[in-house]
Amino acid sequence: GRIRANGEPTDAERHAAQLAIERAAELAGHERALRAAIAEALLEADDLAPDLVRRCGDVGFDPRSPCRVCVIDVGDELEASLRSLHWWAHDRALVGRRDDHAVLIGPDDPAWFAAAIDALAERHPAASAGLGHPALGAPGIKRSYASGRQAAGVLRVTGRTGVLEIQDDSLESILVEAAEPARLVRFVEGVVNPLLAYDERKGAELVRTLETAVRLGWNLQGAARECHVHVSTFRYRLARIEQLTGLDLATADGRLAAELALRARRALA
């Protein structure tokens, strides 16, 4: 059992070391399974029953504290990403899986989640994540999961990576939550993309024109001054926007559609 004279371990020592590694891996696997089961129980719970609070406490997580749910897409690398997330989360969060995505339930700290996704992206560059509403209690956790999944769906449709955060009950967040992701993206692209393409071709400022008109409540005189153009030029730009988008900006519906598209674009940025 001693080390050989040349400093090499004996066969018995190699065998013992291999057994220790396998045992540690087995224990880590049990720990991941336990925490994943608790995460799933939290996502399913209608209230924080004492037994569920106790189970959470056994692994160092307090479900009664403010938290958030992050829904993470990693393509075909789900199992490997779950191991990475367990290592990162340690005793600050719970990691589970639902369908084809990972779920991270952690503190109400967007910077912590951003750091977790950045660390995950170093090994899994395709990772994208939707961060749900701040949550308190079982109903809040369910809502946070739903909003996080919706945000993750938007990222999936647009092919983007990184984190899309649902921050509060602003109109932008409501748009992301309420709309089917693919339909929301089509709506935004249908309004904004023709203007972006025209601006790039012609060196125009149609997007800025529309944003300024919306922000100043369609006060065309004030909007023209802010854009440093004559009001007739500003009206010409609006007419061009109507031609490109099909919106009638003289109507309440057309103006509302323009504002919703711009607000949704900001939420998706």
Side-chain angles (χ1 to χ4, degrees):
R2 296 181 179 178
I3 296 179
R4 295 172 181 168
N6 62 5
E8 291 292 325
T10 65
D11 291 340
E13 287 169 332
R14 287 195 183 96
H15 181 65
Q18 182 61 34
L19 288 177
I21 292 171
E22 292 174 357
R23 179 57 177 163
E26 182 182 359
L27 291 173
H30 286 317
E31 175 75 8
R32 289 196 299 269
L34 175 62
R35 298 177 79 87
I38 295 172
E40 179 62 24
L42 271 178
L43 293 172
E44 290 289 337
D46 293 320
D47 57 64
L48 294 178
D51 180 64
L52 181 55
V53 173
R54 178 191 58 76
R55 291 174 62 197
C56 291
D58 288 343
V59 296
F61 184 80
D62 185 358
R64 298 164 297 185
S65 298
C67 62
R68 286 193 176 200
V69 180
C70 189
V71 177
I72 305 165
D73 281 332
V74 287
D76 297 330
E77 301 178 315
L78 180 57
E79 290 302 326
S81 70
L82 287 170
R83 289 193 294 272
S84 298
L85 286 168
H86 275 288
W87 176 85
W88 172 267
H90 192 47
D91 59 354
R92 289 204 67 189
L94 299 173
V95 179
R97 63 176 296 174
R98 277 200 160 187
D99 301 325
D100 59 348
H101 54 260
V103 178
L104 184 60
I105 308 175
D108 182 12
D109 182 355
W112 184 87
F113 280 101
I117 302 307
D118 284 346
L120 181 65
E122 291 181 4
R123 294 190 175 189
H124 310 281
S128 63
L131 181 57
H133 281 286
L136 190 62
I141 290 172
K142 281 189 172 183
R143 182 184 178 221
S144 187
Y145 170 74
S147 59
R149 184 165 187 173
Q150 188 76 354
V154 170
L155 291 179
R156 189 183 309 114
V157 169
T158 57
R160 290 168 46 203
T161 57
V163 181
L164 177 57
E165 179 187 354
I166 302 297
Q167 298 181 352
D168 48 34
D169 287 326
S170 65
L171 179 56
E172 290 87 345
S173 294
I174 291 170
L175 284 170
V176 172
E177 283 191 89
E180 192 275 321
R183 188 172 182 181
L184 177 63
V185 171
R186 286 196 303 270
F187 167 63
V188 173
E189 290 179 345
V191 173
V192 177
N193 282 11
L195 307 184
L196 291 172
Y198 187 89
D199 285 350
E200 185 175 350
R201 288 197 315 271
K202 302 290 187 178
E205 294 186 324
L206 296 188
V207 173
R208 183 189 176 201
T209 295
L210 188 58
E211 289 175 337
T212 305
V214 167
R215 181 164 48 81
L216 296 185
W218 300 93
N219 177 348
L220 301 191
Q221 292 281 353
R225 283 194 300 273
E226 184 161 320
C227 290
H228 306 293
V229 297
H230 192 275
V231 69
S232 60
T233 302
F234 196 86
R235 291 182 186 276
Y236 171 80
R237 290 181 180 178
L238 291 179
R240 179 65 67 185
I241 290 170
E242 289 180 322
Q243 292 174 359
L244 293 170
T245 63
L247 297 176
D248 183 354
L249 298 178
T251 67
D253 285 350
R255 292 179 174 185
L256 177 61
E259 180 173 0
L260 291 177
L262 292 175
R263 284 179 174 266
R265 180 185 180 228
R266 284 198 295 272
L268 300 177

